[in-house]
Amino acid sequence: MSAATDVIPVAKPFLGPEEEARVLEVLRSGHLSLGPRVPEFEQAFVDRLGVPYAAAVSSGTAGLHLGLRAAGVSDGDEVVTSPFSFVASANAAVYERARPVFADIDPVTLNLDPAAAAAAVTERTTALLPVHIFGYPADTPALEQLGLPIVEDACEALGAVHADGTPVGGRGHPAVFAFYANKQITTGEGGMVAIGDAATKERIDSERNQGRAPEMGWLDHDRLGFNYRLSDIACAVGIVQMQRLPFLLEQRQRVADAYRAAFAADPVDDLTLPCDDADGNRRGWFVFVVQLPRSVDRDETIRALSARGIQSKPYLPAIHLMSFYRERFGYREGQFPVTEDVSARSIALPFFPAMSEGQVARVVEELRAVLTA
Ligand SMILES: *Cc1c(COP(=O)(O)O)cnc(C)c1O
């Protein structure tokens, strides 16, 4: 394929020789797990977010699971959360045999609507699980008014900042970040829980490592635990990625600005772009998701874009409409109209730090051609 028709991927990690060098160092040291790279990677989050503690874990999902356990979620409890999310946020509650109680989202920010969340609280609610969707800060300050434990799904929101200047993940609730290859930083697979208090740090450190207390011998365990450890190899990649973070966020901002400029120069009718930063909140750019006009067939659009060398994907499906959630919890269509409307029309366009202005222009041009065909 020529340069003009090369496939533009929907996401692409940004890695360099520095990551390779740090990984080699770990491999040559022979200390592949439970070694020095783990606290070093954790320290990078402590420094970035201004929290007292952080715990590296094997995935964002693992972090959400341990965060909910630390919040005291167990059998028969209810966790109020957003149905417009990656399925892992709701699944984490199900792991503890709790019920994910969905509340609808704000049509502009696409985050949990605090009023809807408040209305969903019952005497069985043990935690709130807001998701900072697409990197836009959820209204955590409003949720804090409800006086319940909060666990934040910040897996898409590294770099985001709340209106009061607090970095997303820096409010003291267990807040979980994720490092799959499409996230702001990657370790291949991996996650980090930002933590506000020593007891939670101690519990999560233990539960990620088979329930072992810090002073205990290798095979001594005083509580139920998991193997949710992150290897030193992965942490070595993460350490370099955290050093790159300001650059990576800057590049994501540049690409988002290029999309906005291209759509502003020649608007596509009835296309909804990601919301602008408002009221002092700042997005940490993760994906560029647009909502297609209601008259358009989304799957057909994705196929047509693909035929033109542009990758895109439906993003995100409504969790309550997934068959497992319908069958296990009795959710059905019509319960969360904003989520259903938005999720039926949303597609993620190619978006990654090394994306050129030319590639952005080509995506916008092809999308326009497909939509006006
Ligand atoms: C990526 C992501 C997760 C989970 O991350 P993994 O590391 O893949 O387990 C959870 N929630 C949201 C909203 C995400 O985008």
mmCIF file of all heavy atoms in Angstrom, residues 9-45:
data_model
loop_
_atom_site.group_PDB
_atom_site.id
_atom_site.type_symbol
_atom_site.label_atom_id
_atom_site.label_comp_id
_atom_site.label_asym_id
_atom_site.label_seq_id
_atom_site.Cartn_x
_atom_site.Cartn_y
_atom_site.Cartn_z
ATOM 1 N N PRO A 9 -4.313 2.749 12.219
ATOM 2 C CA PRO A 9 -4.864 1.940 13.312
ATOM 3 C C PRO A 9 -5.647 2.818 14.293
ATOM 4 O O PRO A 9 -5.443 4.020 14.352
ATOM 5 C CB PRO A 9 -3.615 1.368 13.984
ATOM 6 C CG PRO A 9 -2.541 2.362 13.701
ATOM 7 C CD PRO A 9 -2.871 2.973 12.359
ATOM 8 N N VAL A 10 -6.512 2.168 15.051
ATOM 9 C CA VAL A 10 -7.330 2.926 15.998
ATOM 10 C C VAL A 10 -6.495 3.368 17.206
ATOM 11 O O VAL A 10 -6.764 4.400 17.817
ATOM 12 C CB VAL A 10 -8.598 2.113 16.383
ATOM 13 C CG1 VAL A 10 -8.280 0.951 17.287
ATOM 14 C CG2 VAL A 10 -9.662 3.007 16.969
ATOM 15 N N ALA A 11 -5.448 2.597 17.532
ATOM 16 C CA ALA A 11 -4.565 2.958 18.648
ATOM 17 C C ALA A 11 -3.182 2.389 18.377
ATOM 18 O O ALA A 11 -3.034 1.460 17.578
ATOM 19 C CB ALA A 11 -5.106 2.410 19.960
ATOM 20 N N LYS A 12 -2.181 2.950 19.045
ATOM 21 C CA LYS A 12 -0.817 2.472 18.824
ATOM 22 C C LYS A 12 0.065 2.948 19.981
ATOM 23 O O LYS A 12 0.127 4.144 20.247
ATOM 24 C CB LYS A 12 -0.314 3.076 17.513
ATOM 25 C CG LYS A 12 0.964 2.503 16.972
ATOM 26 C CD LYS A 12 1.178 3.083 15.571
ATOM 27 C CE LYS A 12 2.604 2.958 15.117
ATOM 28 N NZ LYS A 12 2.804 3.709 13.868
ATOM 29 N N PRO A 13 0.727 2.013 20.661
ATOM 30 C CA PRO A 13 1.563 2.436 21.791
ATOM 31 C C PRO A 13 2.793 3.216 21.301
ATOM 32 O O PRO A 13 3.225 3.046 20.167
ATOM 33 C CB PRO A 13 1.978 1.122 22.449
ATOM 34 C CG PRO A 13 1.877 0.097 21.373
ATOM 35 C CD PRO A 13 0.782 0.554 20.445
ATOM 36 N N PHE A 14 3.332 4.042 22.181
ATOM 37 C CA PHE A 14 4.530 4.816 21.866
ATOM 38 C C PHE A 14 5.658 4.307 22.757
ATOM 39 O O PHE A 14 5.663 4.522 23.969
ATOM 40 C CB PHE A 14 4.264 6.305 22.136
ATOM 41 C CG PHE A 14 5.366 7.212 21.668
ATOM 42 C CD1 PHE A 14 5.240 7.922 20.483
ATOM 43 C CD2 PHE A 14 6.532 7.369 22.418
ATOM 44 C CE1 PHE A 14 6.258 8.769 20.041
ATOM 45 C CE2 PHE A 14 7.552 8.191 21.982
ATOM 46 C CZ PHE A 14 7.420 8.898 20.795
ATOM 47 N N LEU A 15 6.604 3.583 22.173
ATOM 48 C CA LEU A 15 7.697 2.967 22.935
ATOM 49 C C LEU A 15 9.010 3.259 22.238
ATOM 50 O O LEU A 15 9.046 3.397 21.014
ATOM 51 C CB LEU A 15 7.495 1.449 22.998
ATOM 52 C CG LEU A 15 6.243 0.965 23.723
ATOM 53 C CD1 LEU A 15 5.824 -0.416 23.251
ATOM 54 C CD2 LEU A 15 6.467 0.966 25.234
ATOM 55 N N GLY A 16 10.093 3.337 23.003
ATOM 56 C CA GLY A 16 11.381 3.636 22.395
ATOM 57 C C GLY A 16 12.502 2.807 22.981
ATOM 58 O O GLY A 16 12.268 1.894 23.783
ATOM 59 N N PRO A 17 13.723 3.134 22.608
ATOM 60 C CA PRO A 17 14.902 2.382 23.080
ATOM 61 C C PRO A 17 15.071 2.452 24.600
ATOM 62 O O PRO A 17 15.663 1.537 25.189
ATOM 63 C CB PRO A 17 16.077 3.062 22.365
ATOM 64 C CG PRO A 17 15.550 4.342 21.804
ATOM 65 C CD PRO A 17 14.074 4.180 21.642
ATOM 66 N N GLU A 18 14.531 3.500 25.235
ATOM 67 C CA GLU A 18 14.667 3.616 26.696
ATOM 68 C C GLU A 18 13.912 2.481 27.392
ATOM 69 O O GLU A 18 14.407 1.915 28.370
ATOM 70 C CB GLU A 18 14.151 4.974 27.181
ATOM 71 C CG GLU A 18 14.952 6.169 26.674
ATOM 72 C CD GLU A 18 14.546 6.646 25.270
ATOM 73 O OE1 GLU A 18 13.700 5.977 24.614
ATOM 74 O OE2 GLU A 18 15.086 7.675 24.818
ATOM 75 N N GLU A 19 12.706 2.156 26.914
ATOM 76 C CA GLU A 19 11.950 1.044 27.491
ATOM 77 C C GLU A 19 12.735 -0.258 27.297
ATOM 78 O O GLU A 19 12.849 -1.072 28.212
ATOM 79 C CB GLU A 19 10.563 0.909 26.842
ATOM 80 C CG GLU A 19 9.517 1.906 27.334
ATOM 81 C CD GLU A 19 9.557 3.233 26.588
ATOM 82 O OE1 GLU A 19 10.523 3.464 25.834
ATOM 83 O OE2 GLU A 19 8.632 4.040 26.768
ATOM 84 N N GLU A 20 13.283 -0.438 26.080
ATOM 85 C CA GLU A 20 14.044 -1.661 25.800
ATOM 86 C C GLU A 20 15.222 -1.797 26.754
ATOM 87 O O GLU A 20 15.488 -2.871 27.297
ATOM 88 C CB GLU A 20 14.554 -1.638 24.353
ATOM 89 C CG GLU A 20 13.447 -1.761 23.337
ATOM 90 C CD GLU A 20 13.943 -1.563 21.897
ATOM 91 O OE1 GLU A 20 15.165 -1.707 21.645
ATOM 92 O OE2 GLU A 20 13.096 -1.257 21.045
ATOM 93 N N ALA A 21 15.916 -0.699 26.981
ATOM 94 C CA ALA A 21 17.103 -0.732 27.844
ATOM 95 C C ALA A 21 16.730 -1.111 29.277
ATOM 96 O O ALA A 21 17.401 -1.938 29.907
ATOM 97 C CB ALA A 21 17.809 0.627 27.814
ATOM 98 N N ARG A 22 15.645 -0.513 29.781
ATOM 99 C CA ARG A 22 15.257 -0.814 31.169
ATOM 100 C C ARG A 22 14.764 -2.256 31.306
ATOM 101 O O ARG A 22 14.987 -2.891 32.338
ATOM 102 C CB ARG A 22 14.171 0.164 31.668
ATOM 103 C CG ARG A 22 14.616 1.602 31.861
ATOM 104 C CD ARG A 22 15.770 1.793 32.839
ATOM 105 N NE ARG A 22 15.543 1.375 34.207
ATOM 106 C CZ ARG A 22 15.154 2.168 35.202
ATOM 107 N NH1 ARG A 22 14.908 3.449 34.985
ATOM 108 N NH2 ARG A 22 15.004 1.702 36.422
ATOM 109 N N VAL A 23 14.107 -2.770 30.292
ATOM 110 C CA VAL A 23 13.641 -4.161 30.330
ATOM 111 C C VAL A 23 14.840 -5.114 30.317
ATOM 112 O O VAL A 23 14.906 -6.069 31.097
ATOM 113 C CB VAL A 23 12.686 -4.464 29.153
ATOM 114 C CG1 VAL A 23 12.480 -5.971 28.986
ATOM 115 C CG2 VAL A 23 11.340 -3.779 29.378
ATOM 116 N N LEU A 24 15.814 -4.817 29.456
ATOM 117 C CA LEU A 24 17.021 -5.654 29.389
ATOM 118 C C LEU A 24 17.739 -5.702 30.730
ATOM 119 O O LEU A 24 18.220 -6.750 31.174
ATOM 120 C CB LEU A 24 17.980 -5.102 28.337
ATOM 121 C CG LEU A 24 17.829 -5.686 26.931
ATOM 122 C CD1 LEU A 24 18.851 -5.050 25.995
ATOM 123 C CD2 LEU A 24 18.002 -7.210 26.966
ATOM 124 N N GLU A 25 17.792 -4.532 31.365
ATOM 125 C CA GLU A 25 18.427 -4.428 32.682
ATOM 126 C C GLU A 25 17.767 -5.402 33.675
ATOM 127 O O GLU A 25 18.450 -6.105 34.411
ATOM 128 C CB GLU A 25 18.207 -2.990 33.159
ATOM 129 C CG GLU A 25 19.224 -2.376 34.068
ATOM 130 C CD GLU A 25 18.805 -0.924 34.326
ATOM 131 O OE1 GLU A 25 19.182 -0.056 33.507
ATOM 132 O OE2 GLU A 25 18.103 -0.665 35.322
ATOM 133 N N VAL A 26 16.438 -5.420 33.662
ATOM 134 C CA VAL A 26 15.711 -6.331 34.564
ATOM 135 C C VAL A 26 16.003 -7.781 34.196
ATOM 136 O O VAL A 26 16.299 -8.605 35.065
ATOM 137 C CB VAL A 26 14.182 -6.065 34.529
ATOM 138 C CG1 VAL A 26 13.435 -7.115 35.351
ATOM 139 C CG2 VAL A 26 13.868 -4.669 35.037
ATOM 140 N N LEU A 27 15.940 -8.084 32.909
ATOM 141 C CA LEU A 27 16.182 -9.469 32.482
ATOM 142 C C LEU A 27 17.569 -9.923 32.918
ATOM 143 O O LEU A 27 17.752 -11.034 33.409
ATOM 144 C CB LEU A 27 16.041 -9.585 30.961
ATOM 145 C CG LEU A 27 14.633 -9.368 30.396
ATOM 146 C CD1 LEU A 27 14.651 -9.462 28.868
ATOM 147 C CD2 LEU A 27 13.639 -10.376 30.970
ATOM 148 N N ARG A 28 18.542 -9.045 32.761
ATOM 149 C CA ARG A 28 19.920 -9.425 33.105
ATOM 150 C C ARG A 28 20.134 -9.508 34.602
ATOM 151 O O ARG A 28 21.018 -10.221 35.067
ATOM 152 C CB ARG A 28 20.893 -8.416 32.467
ATOM 153 C CG ARG A 28 20.986 -8.638 30.974
ATOM 154 C CD ARG A 28 21.758 -7.557 30.256
ATOM 155 N NE ARG A 28 21.772 -7.866 28.825
ATOM 156 C CZ ARG A 28 22.008 -6.989 27.871
ATOM 157 N NH1 ARG A 28 22.253 -5.717 28.180
ATOM 158 N NH2 ARG A 28 21.995 -7.349 26.611
ATOM 159 N N SER A 29 19.303 -8.781 35.367
ATOM 160 C CA SER A 29 19.450 -8.817 36.827
ATOM 161 C C SER A 29 18.954 -10.140 37.401
ATOM 162 O O SER A 29 19.327 -10.530 38.510
ATOM 163 C CB SER A 29 18.649 -7.680 37.470
ATOM 164 O OG SER A 29 17.260 -8.010 37.515
ATOM 165 N N GLY A 30 18.072 -10.817 36.663
ATOM 166 C CA GLY A 30 17.499 -12.058 37.169
ATOM 167 C C GLY A 30 16.396 -11.840 38.189
ATOM 168 O O GLY A 30 15.765 -12.781 38.645
ATOM 169 N N HIS A 31 16.139 -10.595 38.545
ATOM 170 C CA HIS A 31 15.120 -10.284 39.552
ATOM 171 C C HIS A 31 13.850 -9.836 38.821
ATOM 172 O O HIS A 31 13.652 -8.648 38.589
ATOM 173 C CB HIS A 31 15.646 -9.175 40.476
ATOM 174 C CG HIS A 31 15.010 -9.216 41.834
ATOM 175 N ND1 HIS A 31 15.609 -8.701 42.953
ATOM 176 C CD2 HIS A 31 13.819 -9.724 42.252
ATOM 177 C CE1 HIS A 31 14.818 -8.888 44.003
ATOM 178 N NE2 HIS A 31 13.733 -9.502 43.593
ATOM 179 N N LEU A 32 13.014 -10.814 38.449
ATOM 180 C CA LEU A 32 11.928 -10.526 37.512
ATOM 181 C C LEU A 32 10.614 -10.147 38.176
ATOM 182 O O LEU A 32 9.724 -9.616 37.533
ATOM 183 C CB LEU A 32 11.698 -11.736 36.590
ATOM 184 C CG LEU A 32 12.928 -12.266 35.836
ATOM 185 C CD1 LEU A 32 12.505 -13.298 34.808
ATOM 186 C CD2 LEU A 32 13.722 -11.158 35.177
ATOM 187 N N SER A 33 10.487 -10.450 39.467
ATOM 188 C CA SER A 33 9.235 -10.139 40.156
ATOM 189 C C SER A 33 9.516 -9.824 41.617
ATOM 190 O O SER A 33 10.518 -10.272 42.161
ATOM 191 C CB SER A 33 8.282 -11.336 40.046
ATOM 192 O OG SER A 33 6.993 -10.965 40.499
ATOM 193 N N LEU A 34 8.617 -9.034 42.249
ATOM 194 C CA LEU A 34 8.789 -8.626 43.649
ATOM 195 C C LEU A 34 10.148 -7.959 43.868
ATOM 196 O O LEU A 34 10.733 -8.056 44.941
ATOM 197 C CB LEU A 34 8.630 -9.836 44.593
ATOM 198 C CG LEU A 34 7.223 -10.429 44.702
ATOM 199 C CD1 LEU A 34 7.242 -11.770 45.431
ATOM 200 C CD2 LEU A 34 6.274 -9.460 45.398
ATOM 201 N N GLY A 35 10.631 -7.277 42.856
ATOM 202 C CA GLY A 35 11.935 -6.632 42.940
ATOM 203 C C GLY A 35 11.817 -5.118 43.058
ATOM 204 O O GLY A 35 10.743 -4.584 43.352
ATOM 205 N N PRO A 36 12.925 -4.425 42.808
ATOM 206 C CA PRO A 36 12.991 -2.974 43.050
ATOM 207 C C PRO A 36 12.207 -2.127 42.047
ATOM 208 O O PRO A 36 11.912 -0.964 42.337
ATOM 209 C CB PRO A 36 14.492 -2.670 42.937
ATOM 210 C CG PRO A 36 15.064 -3.778 42.105
ATOM 211 C CD PRO A 36 14.221 -4.983 42.399
ATOM 212 N N ARG A 37 11.880 -2.649 40.885
ATOM 213 C CA ARG A 37 11.175 -1.818 39.893
ATOM 214 C C ARG A 37 9.730 -1.552 40.307
ATOM 215 O O ARG A 37 9.132 -0.573 39.867
ATOM 216 C CB ARG A 37 11.203 -2.474 38.496
ATOM 217 C CG ARG A 37 12.591 -2.666 37.880
ATOM 218 C CD ARG A 37 13.267 -1.351 37.508
ATOM 219 N NE ARG A 37 13.946 -0.708 38.626
ATOM 220 C CZ ARG A 37 15.234 -0.862 38.950
ATOM 221 N NH1 ARG A 37 16.006 -1.666 38.250
ATOM 222 N NH2 ARG A 37 15.740 -0.214 39.974
ATOM 223 N N VAL A 38 9.181 -2.434 41.162
ATOM 224 C CA VAL A 38 7.780 -2.258 41.568
ATOM 225 C C VAL A 38 7.607 -0.977 42.401
ATOM 226 O O VAL A 38 6.831 -0.094 42.021
ATOM 227 C CB VAL A 38 7.249 -3.514 42.297
ATOM 228 C CG1 VAL A 38 5.794 -3.314 42.707
ATOM 229 C CG2 VAL A 38 7.391 -4.750 41.403
ATOM 230 N N PRO A 39 8.337 -0.818 43.514
ATOM 231 C CA PRO A 39 8.187 0.441 44.271
ATOM 232 C C PRO A 39 8.621 1.673 43.474
ATOM 233 O O PRO A 39 8.068 2.760 43.686
ATOM 234 C CB PRO A 39 9.072 0.238 45.508
ATOM 235 C CG PRO A 39 9.906 -0.971 45.242
ATOM 236 C CD PRO A 39 9.179 -1.796 44.224
ATOM 237 N N GLU A 40 9.567 1.505 42.567
ATOM 238 C CA GLU A 40 9.991 2.658 41.756
ATOM 239 C C GLU A 40 8.849 3.134 40.845
ATOM 240 O O GLU A 40 8.604 4.343 40.709
ATOM 241 C CB GLU A 40 11.234 2.286 40.924
ATOM 242 C CG GLU A 40 11.861 3.470 40.206
ATOM 243 C CD GLU A 40 13.061 3.077 39.334
ATOM 244 O OE1 GLU A 40 13.636 1.981 39.525
ATOM 245 O OE2 GLU A 40 13.409 3.889 38.455
ATOM 246 N N PHE A 41 8.136 2.183 40.251
ATOM 247 C CA PHE A 41 6.986 2.522 39.393
ATOM 248 C C PHE A 41 5.872 3.140 40.245
ATOM 249 O O PHE A 41 5.256 4.145 39.870
ATOM 250 C CB PHE A 41 6.511 1.256 38.673
ATOM 251 C CG PHE A 41 5.424 1.467 37.654
ATOM 252 C CD1 PHE A 41 5.329 2.638 36.903
ATOM 253 C CD2 PHE A 41 4.489 0.455 37.412
ATOM 254 C CE1 PHE A 41 4.311 2.810 35.943
ATOM 255 C CE2 PHE A 41 3.485 0.623 36.456
ATOM 256 C CZ PHE A 41 3.395 1.788 35.734
ATOM 257 N N GLU A 42 5.639 2.550 41.423
ATOM 258 C CA GLU A 42 4.606 3.092 42.318
ATOM 259 C C GLU A 42 4.928 4.532 42.708
ATOM 260 O O GLU A 42 4.053 5.414 42.745
ATOM 261 C CB GLU A 42 4.482 2.217 43.572
ATOM 262 C CG GLU A 42 3.888 0.835 43.260
ATOM 263 C CD GLU A 42 3.950 -0.146 44.424
ATOM 264 O OE1 GLU A 42 4.705 0.108 45.395
ATOM 265 O OE2 GLU A 42 3.262 -1.179 44.344
ATOM 266 N N GLN A 43 6.201 4.790 42.974
ATOM 267 C CA GLN A 43 6.626 6.135 43.383
ATOM 268 C C GLN A 43 6.324 7.176 42.295
ATOM 269 O O GLN A 43 5.973 8.324 42.593
ATOM 270 C CB GLN A 43 8.123 6.140 43.720
ATOM 271 C CG GLN A 43 8.640 7.445 44.325
ATOM 272 C CD GLN A 43 7.943 7.809 45.642
ATOM 273 O OE1 GLN A 43 7.706 6.934 46.484
ATOM 274 N NE2 GLN A 43 7.587 9.078 45.827
ATOM 275 N N ALA A 44 6.412 6.748 41.047
ATOM 276 C CA ALA A 44 6.117 7.673 39.943
ATOM 277 C C ALA A 44 4.664 8.151 40.016
ATOM 278 O O ALA A 44 4.358 9.304 39.702
ATOM 279 C CB ALA A 44 6.406 7.011 38.599
ATOM 280 N N PHE A 45 3.761 7.270 40.457
ATOM 281 C CA PHE A 45 2.346 7.668 40.610
ATOM 282 C C PHE A 45 2.139 8.530 41.845
ATOM 283 O O PHE A 45 1.358 9.474 41.826
ATOM 284 C CB PHE A 45 1.435 6.433 40.618
ATOM 285 C CG PHE A 45 1.014 6.052 39.233
ATOM 286 C CD1 PHE A 45 1.882 5.362 38.401
ATOM 287 C CD2 PHE A 45 -0.213 6.453 38.731
ATOM 288 C CE1 PHE A 45 1.522 5.062 37.090
ATOM 289 C CE2 PHE A 45 -0.589 6.154 37.426
ATOM 290 C CZ PHE A 45 0.281 5.454 36.613
#
